[in-house]
């Protein structure tokens, strides 16, 4: 494959679409592979998802350039086979680079980096910090290498954006040897999302910079970050994605002595407690119904007491965290909501802002209700103390940008 290739398709279902020098973005998870092929002007893309990997129901859901949707079964559900089929689907478009989302870069990586043997080994070594994700990320890199050894690859780390945090924010108050010898510190996650929406907010605001944003990425996984002048100064997630906000199935912050208490009182093992905190808590644990906010909201509207409590707890904890993270910012320009919940639940945004009632925040209820389904815009009133934005995240676009930047392509 050579640079400077333009692939054009024209069919009855669409006007002529062009993919010029596209970058392939791969997000290989423990049971899924999300992918996107994005043109260098970012105006055209092909997307898809391989899901249920490891199961007989594994399949690829692919959206072609003309919008046509395909489903392809993956016999056996192996990651390697799914990747081979994805690459075969996209071969005709002559992508010139591949960018991989990698969950953990430790403290070694503060920016996207081109893949070489050392980088690949580091991704594998750091599975100690992300045992479910980094091995899958490494599989994606090796699958591309096997089929396209000459295509340059780049890894974009979830943790890299947060490497600008100062020690006062990233250190835990633990014996120093745990940090210096064992790298026990706060890393943060969802970095590409926080980077994308904070940069976008600075592009569309009329406020003079530098800007200070509180970015709230709210979905099944949730995190909040204080971003000033394009740099992360503090974030809610820590050594692992469990720390911080209440999430779909994750508890977020709990008393650190909960583990020993449950072991002594209930005889639970560390593994059982870890599974409970990561997979059985959050909205699911409190409501007893679902990790999906839409389901919980519907039940709450029908008078389900535990569902009502789950929603109130979620909003309270997000509002409390945003308020505390404001301490990291030299100046607070505004709040940016993103992620599945942040982009689509006007009632949750309103609840969160009402928790922060001492901040002088004012929002337009009608504007708030209108900002759903991928809409971008503001909801603050002219007399609000800070700005309020809803910005749909685009992690794939950010990864493609950082991939081209790391390779000197743009």
């Amino acid at each position: 494959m050579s640079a400077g290739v333009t692939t054009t398709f024209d069919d009855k279902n669409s006007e002529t679409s062009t993919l010029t020098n596209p970058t392939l973005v791969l997000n290989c998870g423990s049971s899924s592979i999300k992918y996107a092929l994005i043109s260098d002007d970012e105006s055209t893309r092909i997307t898809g998802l391989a899901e249920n990997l490891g199961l007989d129901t594994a399949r690829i859901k692919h959206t072609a350039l003309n919008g046509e949707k395909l489903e392809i079964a993956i016999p056996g559900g192996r990651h390697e086979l799914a990747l081979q089929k994805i690459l075969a689907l996209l071969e005709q478009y002559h992508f010139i680079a591949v960018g991989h989302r990698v969950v953990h870069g430790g403290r070694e990586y503060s920016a996207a980096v081109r893949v070489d043997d050392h980088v690949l080994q580091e991704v594998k070594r750091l599975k100690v910090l992300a045992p479910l994700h980094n091995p899958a990320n490494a599989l994606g890199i090796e699958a591309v290498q096997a089929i396209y050894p000459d295509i340059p690859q780049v890894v974009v780390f979830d943790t890299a954006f947060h490497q600008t945090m100062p020690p006062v924010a990233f250190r835990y108050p633990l014996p120093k040897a745990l940090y210096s010898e064992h790298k026990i510190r706060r890393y943060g996650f969802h970095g590409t999302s926080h980077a994308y929406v904070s940069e976008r907010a600075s592009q569309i605001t009329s406020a003079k910079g530098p800007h200070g944003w509180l970015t709230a990425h709210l979905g099944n996984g949730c995190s909040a970050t204080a971003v000033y002048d394009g740099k992360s100064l503090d974030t809610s997630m820590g050594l692992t994605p469990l720390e911080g906000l209440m999430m779909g199935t994750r508890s977020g912050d709990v008393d650190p002595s909960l583990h020993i208490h449950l072991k002594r009182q209930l005889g639970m093992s560390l593994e059982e407690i870890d599974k409970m905190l990561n997979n059985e808590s959050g909205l699911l644990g409190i409501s007893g119904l679902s990790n999906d906010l839409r389901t919980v909201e519907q039940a709450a509207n029908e008078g389900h007491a535990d569902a009502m409590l789950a929603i109130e707890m979620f909003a309270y904890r997000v509002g409390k965290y945003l308020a505390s993270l404001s301490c990291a910012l030299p100046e607070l320009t505004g709040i940016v909501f993103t992620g599945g919940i942040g982009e689509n639940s006007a009632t949750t945004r309103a609840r969160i802002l009402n928790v922060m009632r001492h901040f002088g925040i004012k929002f337009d209820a009608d504007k708030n209700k209108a900002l759903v389904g991928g809409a971008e815009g503001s909801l603050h009133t002219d007399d609000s103390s800070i700005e309020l934005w809803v910005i749909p995240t685009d992690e794939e676009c950010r990864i493609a940008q950082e991939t081209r930047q790391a390779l000197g392509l743009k």
Side-chain angles (χ1 to χ4, degrees):
M1 293 185 184
S2 58
V5 174
T6 299
T7 308
T8 302
F9 289 82
D10 193 5
D11 58 45
K12 64 180 184 298
N13 296 320
S14 69
E15 296 181 11
T16 302
S17 299
T18 303
L19 277 172
T20 306
N21 297 331
T23 300
L24 172 60
V25 175
L26 285 176
N27 181 353
C28 297
S30 55
S31 61
S32 66
I33 302 170
K34 190 177 182 182
Y35 61 93
L37 193 65
I38 304 175
S39 63
D40 60 0
D41 64 359
E42 299 168 9
S43 65
T44 311
R45 69 180 69 185
I46 294 169
T47 60
L49 173 70
E51 59 184 6
N52 301 331
L53 297 181
L55 304 174
D56 291 336
T57 54
R59 59 184 177 174
I60 296 172
K61 298 167 78 173
H62 179 83
T63 303
L65 198 61
N66 61 7
E68 182 184 352
K69 297 187 183 300
L70 310 171
E71 276 201 18
I72 301 165
I74 310 168
R78 289 172 56 244
H79 271 72
E80 294 90 341
L81 181 58
L83 283 161
Q84 289 169 10
K85 286 185 176 292
I86 290 167
L87 293 171
L89 276 170
L90 301 174
E91 181 180 19
Q92 60 184 306
Y93 301 104
H94 304 295
F95 49 90
I96 64 168
V98 181
H100 297 265
R101 178 207 179 201
V102 176
V103 166
H104 223 302
R107 62 186 188 188
E108 289 83 357
Y109 295 104
S110 59
V113 61
R114 183 169 182 163
V115 173
D116 58 21
D117 290 342
H118 172 72
V119 169
L120 179 57
Q121 290 309 310
E122 285 294 285
V123 170
K124 291 180 177 179
R125 183 182 68 80
L126 288 165
K127 73 178 182 181
V128 67
L129 294 174
L132 289 178
H133 292 92
N134 271 41
N137 302 153
L139 264 179
I141 295 168
E142 291 176 325
V144 175
Q145 280 181 340
I147 300 174
Y148 302 111
D150 297 327
I151 294 285
Q153 299 191 74
V154 169
V155 286
V156 180
F157 298 98
D158 254 15
T159 52
F161 181 63
H162 301 298
Q163 286 295 299
T164 51
M165 287 194 296
V168 69
F170 73 67
R171 285 285 295 274
Y172 287 115
L174 299 171
K176 185 178 181 180
L178 287 174
Y179 167 68
S180 57
E181 297 173 23
H182 301 286
K183 301 180 175 62
I184 304 298
R185 53 157 287 178
R186 303 182 68 250
Y187 288 99
F189 299 89
H190 292 148
T192 51
S193 178
H194 291 294
Y196 177 84
V197 299
S198 59
E199 182 177 344
R200 179 65 183 153
S202 288
Q203 290 171 348
I204 59 181
T205 181
S206 58
K208 292 182 179 179
H211 303 117
W213 301 109
L214 295 174
T215 54
H217 178 106
L218 308 177
N220 189 48
C222 301
S223 64
T225 297
V227 183
Y228 184 72
D229 198 17
K231 296 180 176 62
S232 171
L233 298 185
D234 200 357
T235 193
S236 59
M237 286 180 167
L239 174 72
T240 75
L242 183 60
E243 185 180 348
L245 306 179
M246 176 177 165
M247 310 180 207
T249 63
R250 295 185 186 123
S251 65
D253 291 344
V254 294
D255 187 328
S257 289
L258 178 65
H259 287 73
I260 193 69
H261 177 78
L262 292 177
K263 182 178 184 299
R264 288 169 176 164
Q265 297 298 315
L266 303 180
M268 293 177 72
S269 68
L270 286 175
E271 289 73 21
E272 288 171 331
I273 298 166
D274 185 64
K275 181 183 177 186
M276 178 194 74
L277 294 176
N278 277 286
N279 304 116
E280 301 164 4
S281 300
L283 288 171
L284 172 63
I286 297 299
S287 71
L289 298 171
S290 176
N291 64 314
D292 190 318
L293 184 72
R294 292 166 295 188
T295 302
V296 178
E297 279 188 326
Q298 183 178 345
N301 292 335
E302 295 168 356
H304 192 290
D306 288 337
M308 292 167 66
L309 177 60
I311 290 169
E312 289 171 8
M313 283 180 64
F314 182 85
Y316 174 68
R317 286 179 162 235
V318 174
K320 186 170 73 167
Y321 240 106
L322 290 172
S324 66
L325 283 171
S326 70
C327 298
L329 296 172
E331 183 178 337
L332 175 55
T333 308
I335 300 172
V336 182
F337 292 99
T338 194
I341 295 171
E343 295 169 24
N344 294 298
S345 179
T347 54
T348 300
R349 292 194 296 259
R351 286 191 183 97
I352 291 166
L353 294 172
N354 288 332
V355 169
M356 303 176 71
R357 56 194 172 276
H358 305 302
F359 279 67
I361 297 169
K362 296 182 181 180
F363 65 94
D364 184 311
D366 291 333
K367 284 184 179 179
N368 184 35
K369 289 177 183 176
L371 288 167
V372 294
E376 175 184 273
S378 64
L379 54 143
H380 55 272
T381 59
D382 291 341
D383 57 344
S384 177
S385 61
I386 60 172
E387 297 184 3
L388 304 168
W389 293 89
V390 174
I391 299 177
T393 193
D394 193 344
E395 293 172 273
E396 289 76 26
C397 180
R398 178 75 186 195
I399 292 169
Q401 289 171 352
E402 293 193 28
T403 296
R404 293 195 299 269
Q405 194 172 44
L407 297 173
L409 296 175
K410 192 172 180 181

